[in-house]
Amino acid sequence: MESSSKGLLGQVTQFWNLLDDLAESNPESYEKFIEQQLKEGKQLCAAPEPQLCLQTRILKPKEKILFINLCQWKRIPAPQSTTYPVPLRVGTPEDISETSDVYTVIDVAYNPDVLQAAEKDQVKKDQLIRMAMKCIEEQFQFTLSRSYSITKFRIKGSIQRMKQNLMGRQADPTDLREKMRKELTLEEISSTVSNPDHFQLLLPKGEVSSKARCLIEEISSTETQVEMKEPAYELKTVADQNDKPLEIEIKVELPGINSVSLCDLSVSEDDLLIEVSEKYRLHLNLPEFVDTKMTTAKFIKEKATLIVTMPLV
């Protein structure tokens, strides 16, 4: 132990001597080196920041609402290229109660460059979201709904809670390949997991859907899927007095459903997906592009009917 300590001390002394020599012989290089070290140190100490929040549902082991906070964190390394695995970190699930509502929040962190690139590409953005959901399923043995929606708020819960959740985990993010088995590539993500002990999803090049604006993408599973019925529905386009189309309204009949909390709704510019408590499933291509931010939904309990109103863009 003593010889090991002396050896380490000798290396440190040698390092400082080299820095002293550099400062004397090349002050400009010395200054750049110190600035770079300070910059890298600042990045490692930086806290994660919220990027966007997703809402989906945990179907098993116990059904409940799930919010996923996607965060950017400089401590998470960026992939060397689009063909390299994408590191991410998944926080611990936290159950939160608000009045009569109980839901789960999970924080997921990516490198900022990864998320910023995905903001410009809807397909990549959807892939990152699917990656995070698959990681959560694998790590916590959850079964999640295949649909999701992006909320209007950037984070569920407090920022302080999110920081404590992610920063409290001291695992080296560069070791995520072995410790978490959660890397996937942006160009190579598949739709099946054949070996649960080695989690890596791959999508062959050229098979990425060109329909970038579609937010709903099915990922097949080796698990037995519950067969869901397509509910009765009515779709109509509402126009003004000059017959100019204003909005699309869909009424969906859901017999046996008495709470809107059981309804899982996802709307993109040109399609809609409704899943209800593993009983009903309705996927429709919309006749016109709609404004997802202005879309509203209400549930009429007496008639067990869900009404979705989607203004046209």
Side-chain angles (χ1 to χ4, degrees), residues 206-273:
E207 293 189 12
V208 177
S209 172
S210 61
K211 196 176 183 183
R213 57 179 174 266
C214 179
L215 297 180
I216 302 169
E217 177 184 344
E218 291 288 6
I219 297 181
S220 62
S221 172
T222 55
E223 299 176 0
T224 302
Q225 299 293 323
V226 177
E227 183 177 355
M228 294 188 285
K229 299 179 181 180
E230 180 176 294
Y233 69 91
E234 176 187 354
L235 185 152
K236 67 178 181 179
T237 300
V238 180
D240 61 14
Q241 58 185 3
N242 297 320
D243 291 330
K244 178 183 178 181
L246 296 178
E247 61 187 24
I248 295 175
E249 182 181 273
I250 298 178
K251 295 182 180 180
V252 186
E253 298 178 7
L254 303 169
I257 303 301
N258 57 13
S259 173
V260 69
S261 64
L262 300 176
C263 302
D264 198 352
L265 172 65
S266 180
V267 179
S268 76
E269 290 181 336
D270 61 355
D271 66 356
L272 168 145
L273 175 66

Side-chain angles (χ1 to χ4, degrees), residues 80-94:
Q80 298 181 33
S81 73
T82 55
T83 59
Y84 273 71
V86 179
L88 69 160
R89 177 170 294 182
V90 180
T92 304
E94 295 188 20

Side-chain angles (χ1 to χ4, degrees), residues 97-249:
S97 300
E98 288 184 358
T99 60
S100 59
D101 295 329
V102 179
Y103 55 86
T104 300
V105 177
I106 298 179
D107 306 298
V108 178
Y110 285 102
N111 181 274
D113 293 340
V114 173
L115 288 178
Q116 289 172 13
E119 280 296 321
K120 304 174 183 178
D121 188 325
Q122 192 60 56
V123 173
K124 288 184 179 181
K125 186 176 184 179
D126 184 64
Q127 288 174 357
L128 289 179
I129 290 171
R130 299 291 181 187
M131 287 161 59
M133 293 172 67
K134 265 298 180 184
C135 292
I136 289 171
E137 287 187 313
E138 282 287 305
Q139 186 162 337
F140 303 113
Q141 302 301 306
F142 288 163
T143 299
L144 304 184
S145 168
R146 295 306 180 212
S147 63
Y148 65 85
S149 61
I150 298 178
T151 66
K152 295 181 179 180
F153 43 86
R154 294 173 60 194
I155 186 172
K156 188 67 173 179
S158 68
I159 294 180
Q160 185 62 30
R161 181 212 59 78
M162 176 271 291
K163 291 180 179 179
Q164 291 176 350
N165 189 304
L166 289 173
M167 299 183 73
R169 296 167 58 86
Q170 297 301 320
D172 184 355
T174 60
D175 269 350
L176 291 177
R177 298 184 72 174
E178 285 72 33
K179 293 183 179 180
M180 296 178 62
R181 297 176 287 118
K182 306 304 179 196
E183 305 91 353
L184 308 99
T185 68
L186 292 180
E187 290 186 353
E188 300 179 340
I189 298 187
S190 77
S191 58
T192 59
V193 181
S194 57
N195 184 355
D197 293 327
H198 182 71
F199 181 76
Q200 192 167 22
L201 299 182
L202 301 174
L203 180 64
K205 294 181 181 180
E207 293 189 12
V208 177
S209 172
S210 61
K211 196 176 183 183
R213 57 179 174 266
C214 179
L215 297 180
I216 302 169
E217 177 184 344
E218 291 288 6
I219 297 181
S220 62
S221 172
T222 55
E223 299 176 0
T224 302
Q225 299 293 323
V226 177
E227 183 177 355
M228 294 188 285
K229 299 179 181 180
E230 180 176 294
Y233 69 91
E234 176 187 354
L235 185 152
K236 67 178 181 179
T237 300
V238 180
D240 61 14
Q241 58 185 3
N242 297 320
D243 291 330
K244 178 183 178 181
L246 296 178
E247 61 187 24
I248 295 175
E249 182 181 273

